[in-house]
């Protein structure tokens, strides 16, 4: 640099710590890294899972099947135990990986001054009072207090949410930089003030570690129901075995009857259905570029009532773009649609009067820019000045004048190949550029008015000027050039193109969308208007938030949709305040500052492409392509999972009622056993695929995304589900008892009468199961024929079931295993008629409940 403010005498270079002292402090204070959470051993994890009621239930079912000699079914259930263990292990490791990801943000190497010499050390070896040297592109390795700096700007969006790099100055309030942030411009030296857990990054890590991940309501409810039903089922099974033995004196048959009832009662389908539904839902979401890191969150997202979104990188693209160019002779507004579509930008040529504004804004920027505003100016120049003489790739940079506390503008001095004079391009704060150009009061007022108007639109405004200087020694100050004012450049971080439609869909679905940002209120309001958020209620700033009591905040939460200038701990407070009001909170974000709130929310949603690894590890869902509309897709899938789970549970309840009845009543009435374990195993071949495949694949009901979210306290096993299943099941039980009694009367002879009646009753039960599946696939409509009946997964299950039933009836060896005698054709036709009656009964129950629900509404 031959001139300018840096020509002043430089301070004496720092000596730094002595190596021995640095090593002593490293031993005393520990390494500059976040503590790795100690992973649980496989043995400890297995012990914890082993005492879960769900685990014990599955083991008990497997033991029962082993006792019955059904090795395949036993192995399937016991194998499922390991699936449960794997899922538990993944979920419990999630919080530990959040802390590990924070460690990875630290720069692996750092340049320090020790013993008066510059050297490179591992960042983990930094200690308090070390002197660290920073340059463009460096990740700050620890919290530092700047000693000297030149034209330094730091991207702190990971910590603050502020999308624009912050200018830093030594020996001032703005002279601190923090671990994990990124140097986008300039150089500096700083003294380490905090390392490891004591740094800003470390405090966020401690906040993450203090937040415990809770089981979702559906997990808690399923565990509770399974435990209660299992206990009741085992007690009833034991009682039935004892009663049978006492009444008939056949204890082996009593044990067989008890085991049959136990298998009929034990709801091993419920945990399996829950896991398979959520697993398949997560797989379907992955095809939509949404990664479910916590599988239960897929279902819970459907109950979301409040969606808290970060502005930078979530609503906006987290990249600056030139939006408006202005001069005293012309204005060019690229429009928000053209900001997102460069082809449209090219279709609107830049007026000749504005060529100089953009030309010299480009010249005043670095060619290899780290600063996002300079990158945006360069991109705009490539688009709008292409094929003109205003892009000067052959000009030579002679010198530059960086930003300084006294002058918030920078100038770059260029030499043109065909001109002797030097050309100077300047850009900076509009008031600084006006000052450099010595504008009169009238022109200054005109520029100031335009700056206010652009700032009201949420734009960040830079002034641009140019000057020529005869070749020779450059002056020491920018003021010594004879600058001419060219105009203003307005930049913005544009709203993602999919955001307005996604927010509109969320609002139609009864989900409140709330913005939380570290940005300025004017910028937040501008983005909110573009995104379609309500701006009627006043915003709450971080300063105001810190002064509100919990009660006052609760009163304001009902209306406020925009929170700006908020700190990470305030985002966490807001998430907890919404949850305290009874809301189900989903939180989106992409930065380190969002991680605690992401983890504390009911569902944390991280941006995958631009988001930090910390945010991804703390979140339950990750939008892999950063497409905000994917969030609406995830909500839709969440509602679909919950609705289809309820359908599956109704089917499970309805199908178990006749199975239980046919297991108990023969004992009480002195009949021969109607159902044996082999029959129930056969029925499981229908029940399990139906629950895990057919119901999971059912599309969402047409109006599901135009109604409010379900109540947070709505249970999966509520009275509506249970009564629907019980009414369907009781009607089927009566039809089956009538079938059994009628078959005994119609049997052509006494020989084999019970086996024939058992066979016909079983045929009706199997066909009625298929009717149950079809009826419960939709609670809002009835489809009697067509592809909805014969196609898809349901069609395949019908064909497979009928084929297996044909084998059981027609192959004598298999028939003997089932204790069946083939009924004559007319009895089979009668059974088919009873199955048709069961379908009418199921549809009647559905219609009656639908009418009652509409009447209540």
């Amino acid at each position: 640099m031959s001139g300018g403010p840096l020509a002043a005498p430089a301070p004496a270079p720092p000596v730094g710590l002595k190596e021995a002292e640095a090593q002593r402090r490293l031993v005393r204070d520990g390494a500059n890294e976040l503590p790795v959470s100690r992973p649980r051993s496989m043995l400890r994890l297995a012990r914890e899972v082993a005492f879960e009621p769900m685990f014990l239930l599955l083991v008990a079912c497997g033991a029962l099947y082993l006792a019955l000699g059904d090795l395949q079914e036993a192995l399937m259930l016991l194998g499922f135990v390991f699936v449960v263990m794997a899922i538990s292990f993944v979920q419990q490791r999630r919080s530990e990986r959040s802390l590990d990801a924070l460690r990875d943000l630290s720069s692996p190497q750092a340049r320090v001054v020790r013993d008066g010499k510059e050297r490179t050390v591992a960042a983990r070896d930094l200690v308090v009072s070390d002197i660290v040297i920073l340059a463009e592109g460096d990740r700050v390795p620890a919290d530092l207090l700047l000693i000297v700096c030149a034209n330094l700007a730091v991207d702190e969006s990971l910590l603050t949410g502020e999308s624009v790099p912050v200018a830093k100055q030594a020996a001032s309030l703005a002279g601190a930089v923090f671990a994990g942030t990124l140097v986008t411009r300039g150089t500096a030296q700083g003294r380490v003030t905090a390392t490891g857990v004591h740094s800003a990054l470390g405090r966020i890590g401690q906040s993450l570690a203090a937040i415990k991940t809770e089981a979702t309501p559906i997990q808690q409810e399923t565990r509770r129901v399974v435990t209660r039903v299992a206990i009741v089922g085992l007690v009833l099974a034991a009682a039935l075995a004892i009663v049978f033995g006492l009444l008939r004196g056949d204890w082996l048959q009593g044990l067989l009857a008890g085991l049959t009832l136990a298998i009929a009662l034990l709801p091993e389908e419920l945990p399996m259905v829950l896991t398979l539904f959520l697993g398949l839902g997560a797989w379907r979401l992955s095809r939509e570029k949404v990664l479910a890191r916590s599988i239960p969150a897929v279902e819970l997202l459907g109950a979301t009532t409040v969606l808290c979104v970060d502005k930078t990188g979530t609503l906006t693209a987290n990249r600056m773009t030139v939006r408006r160019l202005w001069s005293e002779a012309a204005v060019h507004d690229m429009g928000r649609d053209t900001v997102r579509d460069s082809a449209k930008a090219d279709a609107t040529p830049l007026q000749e009067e504005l060529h100089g504004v953009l030309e010299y804004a480009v010249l005043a920027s670095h060619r290899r820019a780290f600063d996002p505003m300079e990158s945006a100016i360069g991109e705009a120049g490539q688009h709008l000045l292409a094929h003109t003489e205003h892009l000067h790739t052959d000009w030579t940079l002679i010198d530059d004048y960086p930003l300084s506390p006294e002058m918030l503008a920078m100038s770059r001095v260029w030499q043109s190949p065909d001109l002797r004079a030097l050309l100077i391009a300047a850009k900076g704060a509009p008031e600084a550029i006006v000052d450099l150009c010595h504008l009169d009061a009238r022109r200054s007022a005109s520029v100031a008015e335009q700056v206010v108007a652009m700032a009201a639109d949420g734009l960040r405004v830079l002034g641009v000027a140019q000057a020529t200087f005869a070749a020779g020694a450059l002056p020491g100050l920018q003021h010594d050039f004879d600058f001419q004012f060219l105009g203003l450049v307005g930049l913005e971080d544009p709203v993602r193109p999919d955001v307005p439609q996604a927010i509109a869909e969320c609002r139609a679905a009864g989900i409140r969308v709330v913005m939380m940002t570290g940005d300025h209120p004017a910028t937040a309001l501008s983005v909110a208007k573009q995104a379609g958020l309500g701006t009627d209620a006043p915003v709450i700033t971080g300063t105001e938030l810190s002064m509100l009591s919990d009660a006052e905040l609760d009163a304001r939460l009902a209306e406020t949709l925009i929170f700006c200038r908020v700190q990470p701990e305030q985002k966490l407070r807001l998430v907890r305040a919404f949850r305290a009001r009874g809301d189900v909170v989903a939180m989106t974000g992409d930065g380190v500052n969002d991680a605690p709130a992401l983890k504390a929310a009911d569902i944390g949603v991280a941006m995958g492409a631009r988001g930090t690894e910390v945010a991804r590890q703390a979140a339950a869902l990750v939008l892999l392509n950063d497409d905000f509309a994917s969030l609406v897709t995830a909500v839709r899938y969440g509602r679909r999972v919950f609705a289809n789970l309820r359908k599956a549970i109704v089917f499970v309840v309805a199908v178990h009622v006749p199975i239980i009845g046919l297991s108990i009543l023969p004992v009480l009435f002195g009949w021969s056993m109607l159902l044996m374990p082999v029959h129930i195993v056969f029925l499981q071949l229908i029940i399990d695929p139906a629950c895990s495949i057919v119901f999971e694949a059912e599309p969402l009901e047409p109006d599901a995304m135009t109604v409010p979210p379900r109540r947070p306290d709505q249970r999966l096993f509520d009275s509506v589900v249970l009564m629907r299943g019980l009414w369907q099941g009781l009607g089927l039980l009566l039809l089956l008892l009538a079938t059994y009694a009628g078959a005994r009367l119609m049997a052509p002879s006494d020989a084999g009468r019970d086996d024939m009646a058992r066979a016909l009753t079983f045929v009706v039960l199997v066909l009625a199961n298929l009717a149950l599946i079809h009826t419960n696939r939709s609670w809002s409509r009835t489809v009697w024929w067509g592809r909805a009946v014969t196609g898809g997964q349901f069609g395949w299950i019908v064909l497979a079931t009928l084929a297996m039933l044909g084998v059981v009836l027609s192959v004598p060896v298999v028939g003997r295993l089932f204790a069946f005698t083939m009924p004559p054709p007319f009895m089979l036709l009668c059974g088919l008629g009873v199955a048709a009656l069961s379908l009418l009964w199921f549809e009647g129950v559905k219609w009656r409940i639908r009418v009652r629900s509409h009447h209540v509404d």
Side-chain angles (χ1 to χ4, degrees):
M1 176 75 192
S2 59
L6 292 188
V15 175
L17 292 175
K18 292 186 177 299
E19 185 63 34
E21 175 63 16
Q23 293 301 320
R24 188 184 68 80
R25 294 190 181 195
L26 183 63
V27 172
R28 182 192 67 189
D29 300 333
N32 176 38
E33 59 185 4
L34 297 179
V36 180
S37 52
R38 187 169 300 168
R40 302 177 189 181
S41 67
M42 292 297 294
L43 182 60
R44 178 185 172 188
L45 181 59
R47 184 172 64 251
E48 292 178 357
V49 174
F51 287 97
E52 291 282 339
M54 188 182 300
F55 177 87
L56 294 174
L57 174 65
L58 292 172
V59 171
C61 290
L64 286 172
Y65 282 119
L66 282 176
L68 295 169
D70 194 329
L71 181 61
Q72 183 177 358
E73 190 76 11
L75 291 177
M76 182 193 73
L77 287 174
L78 294 175
F80 182 71
V81 168
F82 293 98
V83 176
V84 175
M85 291 178 62
I87 293 173
S88 300
F89 179 79
V90 170
Q91 290 176 340
Q92 291 170 7
R93 280 284 296 158
R94 183 161 60 90
S95 59
E96 297 165 357
R97 287 198 299 269
S98 299
L99 295 176
D100 295 345
L102 279 169
R103 295 177 65 245
D104 294 339
L105 270 182
S106 301
S107 187
Q109 300 289 322
R111 288 189 299 153
V112 299
V113 177
R114 288 183 181 172
D115 294 322
K117 297 179 181 179
E118 181 180 326
R119 53 178 297 191
T120 299
V121 300
R124 68 181 307 277
D125 293 335
L126 289 178
V127 297
V128 173
S129 296
D130 255 330
I131 303 298
V132 177
I133 300 171
L134 300 174
E136 282 186 1
D138 283 350
R139 183 77 64 181
V140 179
D143 288 0
L144 308 176
L145 184 64
L146 297 176
I147 303 171
V148 294
C149 64
N151 195 25
L152 186 71
V154 178
D155 180 354
E156 297 182 340
S157 63
L158 298 183
L159 292 172
T160 67
E162 176 71 42
S163 57
V164 175
V166 179
K168 295 291 182 178
Q169 303 170 18
S172 72
L173 292 177
V177 293
F178 304 100
T181 58
L182 180 68
V183 177
T184 62
R185 185 183 67 229
T187 59
Q189 292 183 1
R191 189 180 304 276
V192 175
T193 58
T195 61
V197 295
H198 305 292
S199 67
L201 198 63
R203 288 192 292 274
I204 291 178
Q206 291 177 315
S207 176
L208 276 176
I211 302 171
K212 297 195 179 295
T213 304
E214 302 174 359
T216 64
I218 190 174
Q219 289 175 302
Q220 298 172 4
E221 185 182 2
T222 301
R223 181 179 302 171
R224 185 169 57 251
V225 168
V226 166
T227 302
R228 291 175 180 175
V229 174
I231 292 173
V232 172
L234 291 174
V235 170
L236 288 178
L240 183 65
I242 294 172
V243 169
F244 192 103
L246 291 175
L247 291 178
R248 304 192 185 184
D250 190 341
W251 291 97
L252 280 179
Q253 284 296 318
L255 179 59
L256 183 60
L259 289 174
T260 302
L261 179 61
I263 297 172
L265 275 171
L266 292 177
E268 81 275 8
E269 300 98 343
L270 294 182
M272 188 179 298
V273 165
L274 175 62
T275 302
L276 289 175
F277 262 59
L278 297 179
L280 287 171
W283 173 74
R284 292 183 186 277
L285 271 180
S286 69
R287 299 173 67 187
E288 302 288 343
K289 303 299 183 183
V290 178
L291 173 65
R293 300 192 64 258
S294 174
I295 292 180
V298 175
E299 175 276 326
L300 189 59
L301 193 60
T304 299
T305 58
V306 173
L307 174 58
C308 300
V309 299
D310 178 52
K311 179 189 74 68
T312 305
T314 305
L315 294 179
T316 66
N318 197 20
R319 60 175 180 84
M320 299 302 292
T321 306
V322 173
R323 163 79 190 286
R324 188 177 301 166
L325 297 169
W326 179 89
S327 75
E328 293 166 300
V331 61
H332 181 84
D333 196 321
M334 298 177 68
R336 291 192 163 100
D337 288 335
T338 59
V339 165
R340 303 172 189 133
D341 190 340
S342 59
K344 292 182 180 179
D346 292 341
T348 306
L350 183 65
Q351 302 96 309
E352 186 66 35
E353 296 87 346
L354 294 170
H355 281 189
V357 178
L358 186 53
E359 172 187 7
Y360 277 87
V362 172
L363 288 171
S365 305
H366 292 80
R367 281 176 171 165
R368 293 183 65 246
F370 285 91
D371 185 277
M373 288 193 289
E374 290 194 343
S375 297
I377 290 171
E379 291 175 5
Q382 293 297 322
H383 281 305
L384 296 175
L385 298 178
H387 312 298
T388 72
E389 70 279 10
H390 299 289
L391 292 178
H392 307 290
T393 57
D394 57 343
W395 285 20
T396 303
L397 179 66
I398 302 300
D399 215 331
D400 64 3
Y401 293 77
L403 286 166
S404 68
E406 297 78 21
M407 175 54 63
L408 297 178
M410 63 177 294
S411 297
R412 311 198 86 201
V413 182
W414 296 90
Q415 177 69 66
S416 167
D418 54 358
L419 292 177
R420 178 179 176 83
L422 301 176
L423 295 103
I424 299 91
K427 76 175 190 315
E431 60 272 19
I433 295 297
V434 167
D435 181 38
L436 283 177
C437 296
H438 307 292
L439 298 186
D440 58 38
R442 181 186 63 80
R443 294 182 68 193
S444 296
S446 174
V447 172
E449 181 181 354
Q450 185 59 221
V451 170
V452 170
M454 294 170 76
D457 278 347
L459 304 182
R460 300 184 181 275
V461 187
L462 296 176
V464 182
Q466 69 93 19
T468 58
F469 186 78
L474 290 171
L477 299 174
Q478 297 180 68
H479 264 296
D480 294 338
F481 294 113
D482 185 16
F483 280 108
Q484 296 180 14
F485 180 77
L486 295 177
L488 302 173
V489 178
L491 302 103
E492 71 173 355
D493 183 5
V495 170
R496 295 177 183 274
D498 58 290
V499 164
Q501 177 64 27
I503 288 181
E505 292 187 44
C506 286
R507 296 177 69 175
I511 302 173
R512 289 183 63 201
V513 182
V514 175
M515 180 198 295
M516 299 178 184
T517 178
D519 226 325
H520 189 275
T523 305
L525 281 170
S526 174
V527 169
K529 290 177 182 177
Q530 298 173 54
L533 286 176
T535 56
D536 297 334
V539 303
I540 294 181
T541 64
T543 302
E544 184 180 359
L545 180 60
S546 64
M547 299 172 63
L548 293 176
S549 66
D550 290 343
E552 292 170 333
L553 175 60
D554 182 71
R556 298 284 298 275
L557 288 181
E559 296 182 354
T560 305
L561 298 178
I562 303 173
F563 299 86
C564 51
R565 291 298 192 199
V566 292
Q567 301 298 316
E569 61 272 13
Q570 291 176 322
K571 290 186 179 184
L572 183 59
R573 182 190 177 193
L574 288 169
V575 167
R576 286 172 167 165
F578 276 116
R579 292 191 65 184
R581 297 177 74 244
D583 285 307
V584 177
V585 181
M587 168 78 188
T588 72
D590 66 338
V592 174
N593 61 312
D594 300 319
L598 287 172
K599 189 174 181 182
D602 294 288
I603 311 103
V605 183
M607 296 298 174
R610 291 182 178 270
T612 63
E613 181 63 17
V614 180
R616 290 193 290 270
Q617 295 287 358
L621 298 177
V622 180
L623 307 184
L624 297 177
N625 57 359
D626 284 5
D627 185 356
F628 192 81
S630 299
L631 187 58
V632 180
T633 301
V635 171
R636 188 179 295 111
Y637 271 86
R639 294 191 175 189
R640 169 181 167 177
V641 166
F642 186 80
N644 289 345
L645 267 173
R646 286 165 63 84
K647 295 173 185 177
I649 290 171
V650 167
F651 169 70
V652 170
V653 171
V655 82
H656 272 73
V657 168
I659 293 175
I660 294 170
L662 295 180
S663 300
I664 295 177
L665 293 179
V667 175
L668 298 180
F669 294 157
W671 304 341
S672 62
M673 289 182 60
L674 273 175
L675 290 181
M676 293 181 290
V678 67
H679 303 141
I680 299 177
V681 171
F682 183 94
L683 291 173
Q684 294 296 323
L685 296 177
I686 302 173
I687 295 173
D688 291 344
C691 293
S692 59
I693 299 176
V694 175
F695 288 113
E696 190 280 331
E698 282 302 305
L700 193 63
E701 300 287 352
D703 62 343
M705 287 298 289
T706 59
V707 296
R710 68 177 189 267
R711 299 188 316 275
D713 61 345
Q714 183 178 1
R715 295 179 301 167
L716 190 62
F717 302 85
D718 61 10
S719 59
V720 174
V721 165
L722 294 178
M723 291 308 298
R724 187 187 293 266
L726 288 174
W727 275 112
Q728 290 180 347
L730 287 172
L732 177 56
L733 176 59
L734 293 176
L735 287 173
L736 291 172
L737 292 175
T739 300
Y740 181 74
R744 284 178 58 86
L745 291 175
M746 290 187 294
S749 65
D750 291 340
R753 174 183 297 171
D754 288 339
D755 290 353
M756 189 176 296
R758 181 184 299 113
L760 186 62
T761 304
F762 186 75
V763 168
V764 174
L765 177 57
V766 170
L767 295 178
N769 272 345
L770 297 177
L772 261 178
I773 297 171
H774 179 58
T775 294
N776 287 292
R777 288 168 65 194
S778 174
W779 290 349
S780 63
R781 65 190 189 281
T782 299
V783 180
W784 295 103
W785 192 248
R787 179 164 178 77
V789 177
T790 60
Q793 292 89 340
F794 179 64
W796 287 109
I797 284 185
V798 170
L799 291 176
T801 302
L802 294 178
M804 289 190 295
L805 187 59
V807 170
V808 170
L809 293 175
S810 61
V811 178
V813 175
V814 180
R816 286 194 296 272
L817 178 64
F818 279 72
F820 285 170
T821 297
M822 181 68 172
F826 77 94
M827 290 181 65
L828 290 176
L829 285 175
C830 291
L832 187 60
V834 175
L837 284 176
S838 73
L839 177 60
L840 291 176
W841 169 256
F842 303 149
E843 289 292 338
V845 171
K846 182 168 72 175
W847 174 81
R848 179 60 182 164
I849 292 176
R850 185 165 65 238
V851 170
R852 284 190 60 189
S853 64
H854 285 322
H855 180 71
V856 171
D857 293 341

